[in-house]
Amino acid sequence: MATDEKLHFVVLPFMAQGHAIPVIDFAKLLAERRDVIVTLLLTPVNHIRVKPILDRSSDRGVRIPVEELAFPAQEVGLPAGCENLDLVPSSPLMVNFMAATAMLQPQVEALLRKMRPEPRCLVADTCFPFASEVARKSGIPRLLFHPMTCFTYLCSHHIVTSRILDTVSDEFEYFDVPGMPHETRFTRSQVKGMADPETPGWVEFNDKLIENEKAAFGLIFNTFEDLERTYLREYEMVRQTRVWSVGPVSLFSKELGDKVSRGKSSTVDVDQCSNWLDAQEPGTVVYACLGSICNLTSSQMLELGLGLEASGRPFIWVVGFGCGDEDTKKSLQELLAENGLVKRVSENGRGLVIFGWAPQVLILSHRAVGGFLTHCGWNSSLEGISAGHPVVTWPLFADNFYNEKLLVDVLRVGVRAGVKQSMDYGKGRDVGIQVRRDDVRNAVEEVMGEGDEREARRKRAAELAEKARKAVEEGGSSHANIGKIIEEVRKFNKDSS
């Protein structure tokens, strides 16, 4: 390729909010570099969701064109328009959804063939194993974007390769993860979402993940060097591939409109939310959100809400519903109405309850917020870190318990709510109530109250936020790594031409 030719990156985000949000942020960061062109591949529904943020980017002179992929929902037995994980009607249909994503390969190949200028790199989420073959056929490098923390992947690697779970029979027996740079302990229940060979289909999935990584030109993590340097270098060594940290990508969204429209449209009036926060004292508000695919039982959700109320602290509670489960949504709304919680906290000004999607980055960055109750998804965890808040941890499934371990035991900025058991995705009913309202109240007090230990936790959180901010500034590690990625891809194309 010509030395002055702009590099064309094609970016393929996975159709789930926790995956798509950081990948699209990364696409924006690439597009801001003057020697790069970026094209996004999105399905129609997901295109609509991110159009506001792309329009804002275009208004600032950073245009990111979109090529649409027809999502074969009905071909696999899903409703028309079911193009995102949070729209899947029930957990058993998750298999159908994943089958539909695999069927996108021919479309992606056809689009890459016709694009001009020719694509020079494919950036794909780890949930698209077929992207390896697409890149190989196109003769271009593929960058694999990991949506989870490097700590999680390193732990899972050592658990799997050591076969330590063969020696652990009890679900709640703690074991030490071999090979980690410091003592790291889990129970079998906590890791089964990421590293349990007894889960049907898990071994085959893990084998695909390893092959997916081996074939990649390099791995990208939404994290930063001062947070995970040890794990990044260790993972680079055990996987024998390039590893770059480029986050926290949420911190690159500095304007109000970007924070509001990040992800999808808010279901609450932003001015109402801001005005409520403006009326609170600095550092007094607890923000509670268990993610976009939370589906705990209605009774467990009520315990959470009553615990927030009992804490005596002002709070914002975002109530999300996973799997598009209308029965759970209706049941919870009826239970909350019967209890009167929403009406009470609204009338006395103590709380703001939001059903659906909230502008999380905007809320976390407000001076009134002083603590964050989170499900420990990596996006949320990193957004909490970036805002400098100590956290109450309430892990649900998948990587959540790994992130809890990092937040509470390694970084020491978190307090556990008391969840002991990981639930299978979509099976909150099988677990029942794990955390009572008194547990919530006590954990909130531990994060928000006074005392030397609590002040030390807040100080550590503030120091991490400062390091995160420096990482994304010009000259910082994440800012520099984006430049290194571009140069490595340019060198590959130059050497292969």
Side-chain angles (χ1 to χ4, degrees):
M1 64 181 292
T3 55
D4 60 345
E5 179 184 334
K6 286 192 174 184
L7 284 174
H8 185 185
F9 285 77
V10 178
V11 180
L12 178 61
F14 185 66
M15 300 81 174
Q17 294 305 97
H19 291 242
I21 289 173
V23 174
I24 290 171
D25 278 343
F26 178 67
K28 288 170 52 188
L29 297 175
L30 283 175
E32 288 173 359
R33 303 294 174 112
R34 62 183 181 181
D35 52 350
V36 168
I37 299 171
V38 176
T39 300
L40 276 170
L41 302 184
L42 299 170
T43 68
V45 168
N46 291 288
H47 187 185
I48 291 169
R49 287 188 177 188
V50 303
K51 192 175 186 302
I53 197 73
L54 296 181
D55 288 346
R56 290 186 57 81
S57 182
S58 182
D59 290 343
R60 293 197 296 269
V62 182
R63 182 174 174 272
I64 305 177
V66 173
E67 292 282 355
E68 288 196 349
L69 300 166
F71 193 76
Q74 291 176 291
E75 288 90 323
V76 297
L78 294 171
C82 183
E83 299 175 15
N84 194 287
L85 204 62
D86 60 14
L87 297 174
V88 177
S90 62
S91 55
L93 289 174
M94 284 291 299
V95 175
N96 306 53
F97 184 84
M98 294 306 296
T101 65
M103 293 165 63
L104 295 173
Q105 180 173 347
Q107 289 186 68
V108 175
E109 290 180 356
L111 284 171
L112 261 62
R113 282 196 299 269
K114 75 172 189 178
M115 281 183 186
R116 295 295 180 270
E118 292 182 19
R120 296 296 182 179
C121 182
L122 176 62
V123 181
D125 187 281
T126 187
C127 287
F128 290 114
F130 71 72
S132 175
E133 186 178 357
V134 171
R136 182 184 59 78
K137 288 181 177 179
S138 302
I140 59 176
R142 175 182 57 102
L143 297 173
L144 192 156
F145 196 103
H146 275 314
M148 301 178 188
T149 165
C150 192
F151 174 80
T152 295
Y153 280 99
L154 184 61
C155 284
S156 293
H157 167 84
H158 287 309
I159 291 171
V160 172
T161 57
S162 68
R163 301 184 65 87
I164 185 67
L165 291 180
D166 290 350
T167 68
V168 181
S169 56
D170 189 276
E171 285 283 294
F172 302 104
E173 175 188 348
Y174 277 93
F175 65 90
D176 292 316
V177 180
M180 291 296 288
H182 51 72
E183 183 180 83
T184 307
R185 309 188 78 215
F186 289 103
T187 67
R188 187 185 193 103
S189 173
Q190 292 170 343
V191 304
K192 68 179 182 179
M194 290 289 296
D196 189 354
E198 292 185 4
T199 301
W202 185 88
V203 173
E204 294 80 3
F205 174 81
N206 188 65
D207 288 343
K208 285 183 179 179
L209 173 65
I210 294 173
E211 290 305 313
N212 200 17
E213 284 193 354
K214 284 181 179 178
F217 184 70
L219 314 179
I220 299 172
F221 286 92
N222 179 25
T223 187
F224 58 102
E225 288 288 330
D226 279 341
L227 185 72
E228 290 201 89
R229 180 177 289 107
T230 300
Y231 313 122
L232 289 162
R233 299 291 77 79
E234 180 76 10
Y235 200 68
E236 193 171 43
M237 183 179 69
V238 299
R239 290 300 206 211
Q240 296 186 330
T241 189
R242 304 171 184 83
V243 172
W244 294 285
S245 57
V246 299
V249 292
S250 62
L251 283 182
F252 288 96
S253 299
K254 293 182 169 56
E255 295 190 14
L256 177 65
D258 290 342
K259 294 177 182 179
V260 170
S261 57
R262 190 166 181 263
K264 59 182 179 179
S265 298
S266 174
T267 53
V268 65
D269 181 85
V270 175
D271 289 337
Q272 175 196 1
C273 187
S274 295
N275 291 339
W276 187 89
L277 284 166
D278 289 343
Q280 311 303 319
E281 293 296 319
T284 60
V285 174
V286 179
Y287 173 66
C289 178
L290 297 183
S292 60
I293 52 175
C294 165
N295 44 353
L296 295 174
T297 61
S298 298
S299 54
Q300 175 64 92
M301 291 291 276
L302 178 61
E303 287 292 309
L304 167 55
L306 292 173
L308 291 170
E309 183 183 30
S311 74
R313 309 276 177 178
F315 65 89
I316 293 180
W317 179 25
V318 181
V319 182
F321 303 96
C323 289
D325 191 334
E326 290 301 318
D327 289 340
T328 300
K329 181 178 181 179
K330 182 179 178 182
S331 170
L332 177 58
Q333 289 176 326
E334 289 174 351
L335 191 60
L336 290 174
E338 180 184 328
N339 179 272
L341 170 65
V342 177
K343 182 180 179 181
R344 283 197 306 275
V345 300
S346 176
E347 289 179 347
N348 63 26
R350 277 274 321 288
L352 181 62
V353 181
I354 301 170
F355 291 92
W357 188 264
Q360 181 161 290
V361 171
L362 178 68
I363 293 172
L364 288 172
S365 63
H366 197 283
R367 61 175 179 77
V369 177
F372 181 19
L373 188 153
T374 174
H375 68 302
C376 303
W378 184 235
N379 277 339
S380 291
S381 299
L382 197 53
E383 287 163 9
I385 288 169
S386 301
H389 298 313
V391 297
V392 174
T393 60
W394 190 312
L396 299 175
F397 43 66
D399 63 326
N400 296 176
F401 279 94
Y402 293 82
N403 296 333
E404 178 185 59
K405 179 73 64 175
L406 182 65
L407 292 166
V408 176
D409 296 334
V410 180
L411 302 176
R412 296 186 297 147
V413 296
V415 173
R416 290 177 172 86
V419 180
K420 303 293 184 186
Q421 182 178 353
S422 174
M423 66 179 191
D424 292 335
Y425 178 80
K427 295 185 178 180
R429 295 179 184 83
D430 297 346
V431 177
I433 295 177
Q434 292 196 71
V435 182
R436 298 288 176 179
R437 66 193 72 175
D438 287 347
D439 300 321
V440 176
R441 181 195 61 203
N442 294 339
V444 167
E445 179 59 26
E446 188 61 34
V447 162
M448 303 293 289
E450 302 302 320
D452 291 345
E453 186 176 343
R454 294 160 181 172
E455 287 296 331
R457 186 181 296 113
R458 283 193 280 269
K459 181 180 178 182
R460 286 191 292 271
E463 289 171 349
L464 281 176
E466 178 63 15
K467 291 177 180 179
R469 182 185 62 78
K470 289 182 177 179
V472 301
E473 290 179 345
E474 188 167 354
S477 59
S478 294
H479 186 275
N481 278 340
I482 294 171
K484 290 176 183 177
I485 290 169
I486 293 170
E487 289 311 307
E488 287 276 6
V489 171
R490 185 177 296 280
K491 183 177 183 299
F492 174 91
N493 281 278
K494 182 181 178 182
D495 291 346
S496 60
S497 61

